[in-house]
Amino acid sequence: MIGNDIVDFSMARLSRCKEQRFIDIVLNAHEQCLLAKSTCPFRSFWQMWAMKEAAYKAYVQLHPNRFFKPRSFECTGMGAHERVHYKNFSVEVITEIHESYAFAQTTSEQRITRTQIQELSANCSTLGQILRKPLFYEVSEMYGLSKSSLKIVKNKAGVPKVYCGAKALPLHISLTHHGRFAAYSIVEY
């Protein structure tokens, strides 16, 4: 399983991460202490948001039922390699903080993960245009398949899978976009 999330700092609202009501919806008491100790609360808040969203996407691959409980996903810290816990589920999250964005990715398996982050151009009309081409190229190289035979199908919980014709390929994918950035992550199983 894999989950990822990206937050474009230019699109993330500074006001939202200063509103106590919103903070209480997203962060538990431990995470609010981490935020209070942070030298850059804006980036720290959105980093934890991305970590929680990545963990949520991985969790939903195992338990396909959509819900919104960001506070219930607990970040152990705000380093580059941390864990996020939800009930009996725990997963490692790798976070990259750049000047323009925060990117979080998780995988619970000791497998090679392939990731690509792209800055979007103004003339891209759909996320599909942005991510499908490089994703299908990568998958076609991995399996020796024609790019034109590949498609992405989402299940009822919104979890995407890559298919070649009617057959699901043995990999997990996660797609994300926010503002000027989009990314995909792939892990084989």
Side-chain angles (χ1 to χ4, degrees), residues 6-99:
I6 197 161
V7 176
D8 181 345
F9 290 138
S10 71
M11 295 291 293
R13 291 187 18 218
L14 179 61
S15 62
R16 290 297 274 172
C17 62
K18 289 186 175 182
E19 295 172 17
Q20 191 60 47
R21 186 170 173 226
F22 185 64
I23 291 170
D24 289 340
I25 290 170
V26 176
L27 304 179
N28 62 38
H30 166 73
E31 294 162 338
Q32 289 186 36
C33 287
L34 293 173
L35 186 65
K37 295 175 185 176
S38 171
T39 58
C40 186
F42 172 77
R43 288 178 186 248
S44 297
F45 177 86
W46 292 111
Q47 175 186 354
M48 285 190 280
W49 175 278
M51 292 168 68
K52 289 169 175 265
E53 183 68 17
Y56 166 80
K57 288 179 177 180
Y59 180 83
V60 170
Q61 288 183 6
L62 292 173
H63 308 280
N65 185 24
R66 297 177 90 171
F67 58 93
F68 182 75
K69 294 181 183 177
R71 183 182 171 94
S72 299
F73 285 80
E74 182 171 353
C75 301
T76 57
M78 293 187 307
H81 294 268
E82 296 289 348
R83 293 199 75 76
V84 175
H85 304 282
Y86 174 72
K87 296 183 178 180
N88 294 328
F89 175 77
S90 179
V91 69
E92 182 180 9
V93 178
I94 301 164
T95 309
E96 300 173 19
I97 304 297
H98 296 267
E99 183 177 319

